[in-house]
Each structure stands twice: as structure tokens, then as C-alpha cells.
Amino acid sequence: MNIMLFHSTYGLRPAVSAAADRLRAAGHEVWTPDLFEGRTFETVEEGMAFNDGIGKDELLRRAVLAAAPYSDRGLVYAGFSLGASVAQTLALGDEKARGLILLHGTSDIAASASVDELPVQLHVAEPDAFETDDWLSSWYLQMRRAGADVEVYRYAGAGHLYTDPDLPDYDAEAAEATWKVALGFLDSL
């Protein structure tokens, strides 16, 4: 598979590169665009302030430019938290998208969104202050209404960005379970 993997609000950190290497070791081609142009952050608040300064439109413009050279190949879009919301937006707008892996995040869905049984996997902590139960229920119904084939995996007791070993949220067991399921998902596409 050809995978476009987007970083979180922390920026393009070692955990993103490690995830890409893990996917490559499983035989996939992976791109990890740097939407923050070299900036990384130590806290969510710093990253969100930087992201707010860029603005959603500019962030999506950067993501589209990064994906465009490869989109004819039929990409699987993936991302961490903020990057998951970017990946979701691009996947729902790309008729050649092969799949969508959302790690720790989702995004709003346009009422006009429509896909043809796009395979989607969401991996999220339970509970997660950024992805509340009410929001996830609504998100799931909207994704199904848009035509996506959605699987949701919840990890009790894990922190929000539980796959990043350099953050306090890290949960080794949940991270390994996530990667096992995600790699199986990719093999099924």
C-alpha cells in the first residue's frame, strides 16, 4: 500500500518516523509530510497555538500539495490526532483513496461527503477528552451515512496520543495492539 501519514499537533516527531519505518518494514511505501515546516513542540498547547496561527485552510493546502503527486496511486491516508483530521478530510475528498487509518483523532464531516465503502479504522483512547463518546457516536453515524465502512477500536485507560513513546500518554500495550490491528487492516486492502 501507498500510505500518506500525517503528524500530530506536536509536529513531525520521532514517533511519526518510527511509525513510518514500521509500516515500511511491513512492505508499504510511506510518506510523512512535514506540515509545520520543521517546527516541533513540547506541549499540545504550543502545537495548537502554532496550528491556529497557520489556519485550517493553509494546513489543508499543505497536506493536499504533499499528497497530490501520489494520489493517482490510490493512497491510504493516515494520521495522528490533528494529522488524523487532516487525513480524514483528504480521504473523503479523494475518489482514489484506498483506505483511512485514524490514530487518536477524527474531524468534522461535510454533509455532502460521499465515498464508496471506503475502509476506515479509528483507534482512540477510552475515555479521550478530545474524542468524547457523544462526538464519536455522531462521527460514526455521519461516516456511515457518507458511505464509509468503519471499524472503531477503543483502548481503555490509554492516554490521548498513546502510540508516542516520548509522551506521557504512551501505553505500550495499547500501542502494540493498535499496530497489530492496523497492519492487518492494511493487508486486507
Side-chain angles (χ1 to χ4, degrees):
M1 285 290 120
N2 297 297
I3 302 168
M4 186 66 52
L5 180 62
F6 295 104
H7 61 75
S8 75
T9 195
Y10 286 95
L12 188 57
R13 295 166 41 88
V16 180
S17 299
D21 289 344
R22 184 177 199 144
L23 294 166
R24 289 181 188 111
H28 305 289
E29 192 160 359
V30 184
W31 296 274
T32 56
D34 187 350
L35 303 180
F36 287 177
E37 299 175 335
R39 299 285 308 269
T40 59
F41 302 95
E42 295 301 315
T43 69
V44 168
E45 294 78 17
E46 291 172 348
M48 290 178 78
F50 181 78
N51 180 51
D52 289 346
I54 292 172
K56 185 176 183 177
D57 289 344
E58 175 61 18
L59 190 71
L60 288 175
R61 185 190 74 77
R62 292 176 184 184
V64 167
L65 288 174
Y70 311 104
S71 63
D72 279 347
R73 299 180 186 194
L75 291 171
V76 172
Y77 291 92
F80 297 93
S81 194
L82 170 70
S85 69
V86 170
Q88 177 186 304
T89 300
L90 268 60
L92 292 179
D94 182 353
E95 62 186 32
K96 293 183 180 180
R98 299 280 310 273
L100 175 60
I101 299 175
L102 303 170
L103 301 164
H104 324 294
T106 60
S107 184
D108 294 333
I109 302 163
S112 61
S114 178
V115 293
D116 187 16
E117 296 184 19
L118 178 71
V120 177
Q121 244 187 27
L122 169 64
H123 297 269
V124 65
E126 182 178 30
D128 188 321
F130 296 102
E131 300 289 329
T132 65
D133 290 343
D134 287 347
W135 165 254
L136 287 174
S137 294
S138 174
W139 173 86
Y140 178 84
L141 293 172
Q142 291 175 59
M143 286 294 279
R144 294 290 298 154
R145 194 174 308 118
D149 181 12
V150 182
E151 299 174 2
V152 178
Y153 295 87
R154 305 288 307 267
Y155 300 87
H160 175 66
L161 266 168
Y162 64 82
T163 58
D164 189 328
D166 296 325
L167 296 176
D169 287 348
Y170 182 62
D171 183 311
E173 186 177 329
E176 283 306 309
T178 295
W179 287 116
K180 181 179 179 183
V181 172
L183 288 167
F185 174 75
L186 289 167
D187 288 344
S188 75
L189 299 178

